[in-house]
Amino acid sequence: MLEDLDLSRHLAKDDYKRHLKALQIDLIRLQQSVMREGLRAMVALEGMDAAGKGGAIRRMAHSMDPRAYRVYRVGPPERQEKARHHLYRFWTKVPLPGEMAVFDRSWYGRVLVERVEGLEEPAVWERGYREINDFERTLADSGVVLVKCWLHIDPDEQLRRFNRRLADPLKAWKMSEDDWRNRENWDAYMAAVEDMFAQTYSEWAPWTVIPANDKRYARIRVLQAVSDGLRRRAERDGLECPDPEPVRIE
């Protein structure tokens, strides 16, 4: 899936502002209509370091009601979490009816970082595919909307973003030794990502793979994916749904 991705996709600044405003309005209308009817959503954003996950989340959250919105930045599990099943800490974050949970990295750490970094034996992370599929199927069957996005950048663009961060005192804190180590394992991560798509793409929890070399384009595609996911589930459940905003990109 990654080899065929057109990373040159670009959105002009004026078009970006127009699309962003329309989609933010669309999301708040969906939140105030179908989610008030009890719809729940979990949004998982994955991608290499500096792919733009945080920026997309900020634009998504900008106009939504914060009382029904939670963002989780997922890092290494705490000691008490390591003593339990790896999905335990995500079960505890399943949203209540009418709420949305957004994950900056997610339960896919088992088949990505834990695989590439050798933190788990192959038998363990290979079993993770089945466990994740069962987890997502259970959530979907209970009415949770699942939106999964992979934001993809190339190594050259990642390096440019790393250098810009290091040159900016307000952003240098984002960089760590882990970022450089992950970069050295780029090819191993790409192999793990392709396996992840092949093993965990499903009708109830499909992947949306987004070209993210242009941050503006990627942000719009993420908001669009969330809007589409909520609208599809609402229509399937027979809920009254506001008409979508007319502006779209592919």
Side-chain angles (χ1 to χ4, degrees), residues 59-246:
R59 274 70 183 181
M60 196 191 319
H62 177 76
S63 58
M64 297 184 74
D65 184 349
R67 296 171 297 180
Y69 190 95
R70 301 288 183 275
V71 177
Y72 299 101
R73 183 177 180 273
V74 178
E78 302 292 339
R79 184 175 62 85
Q80 67 273 18
E81 293 171 335
K82 289 181 179 180
R84 295 175 168 85
H85 191 274
H86 74 103
L87 291 172
Y88 163 80
R89 59 176 173 156
F90 300 104
W91 275 115
T92 62
K93 296 175 177 62
V94 174
L96 295 172
E99 293 184 351
M100 178 186 293
V102 181
F103 297 85
D104 183 346
R105 301 196 186 278
S106 67
W107 44 94
Y108 281 95
R110 169 63 35 121
V111 296
L112 292 175
V113 64
E114 293 181 17
R115 166 183 170 169
V116 175
E117 299 293 332
L119 301 176
E120 290 291 354
E121 296 294 326
V124 174
W125 60 256
E126 287 174 357
R127 188 174 68 240
Y129 296 125
R130 173 176 55 81
E131 295 170 337
I132 287 171
N133 285 329
D134 290 345
F135 172 66
E136 293 178 345
R137 183 59 188 259
T138 301
L139 290 171
D141 286 347
S142 67
V144 177
V145 178
L146 291 167
V147 179
K148 305 184 308 190
C149 296
W150 175 268
L151 277 65
H152 192 57
I153 58 176
D154 62 33
D156 292 339
E157 177 61 23
Q158 185 191 57
L159 183 59
R160 282 191 289 269
R161 294 183 186 185
F162 278 6
N163 288 332
R164 284 197 294 268
R165 284 181 176 182
L166 290 172
D168 186 344
L170 297 179
K171 294 183 178 180
W173 62 270
K174 293 183 177 183
M175 294 298 301
S176 70
E177 291 300 322
D178 290 342
D179 298 315
W180 295 107
R181 187 179 68 252
N182 292 342
R183 179 175 168 79
E184 291 176 357
N185 292 326
W186 186 278
D187 290 342
Y189 271 106
M190 293 303 100
V193 170
E194 292 286 11
D195 287 347
M196 176 186 74
F197 293 151
Q199 296 282 347
T200 64
Y201 190 104
S202 63
E203 178 185 351
W204 54 88
W207 279 100
T208 300
V209 184
I210 298 173
N213 271 9
D214 181 74
K215 289 183 177 182
R216 291 191 290 260
Y217 177 86
R219 291 165 185 168
I220 296 304
R221 286 290 305 277
V222 170
L223 269 64
Q224 205 167 270
V226 175
S227 173
D228 290 348
L230 290 171
R231 184 166 276 103
R232 280 195 302 268
R233 185 68 191 219
E235 291 173 350
R236 197 191 83 175
D237 292 352
L239 301 176
E240 290 190 14
C241 197
D243 293 332
E245 294 297 323

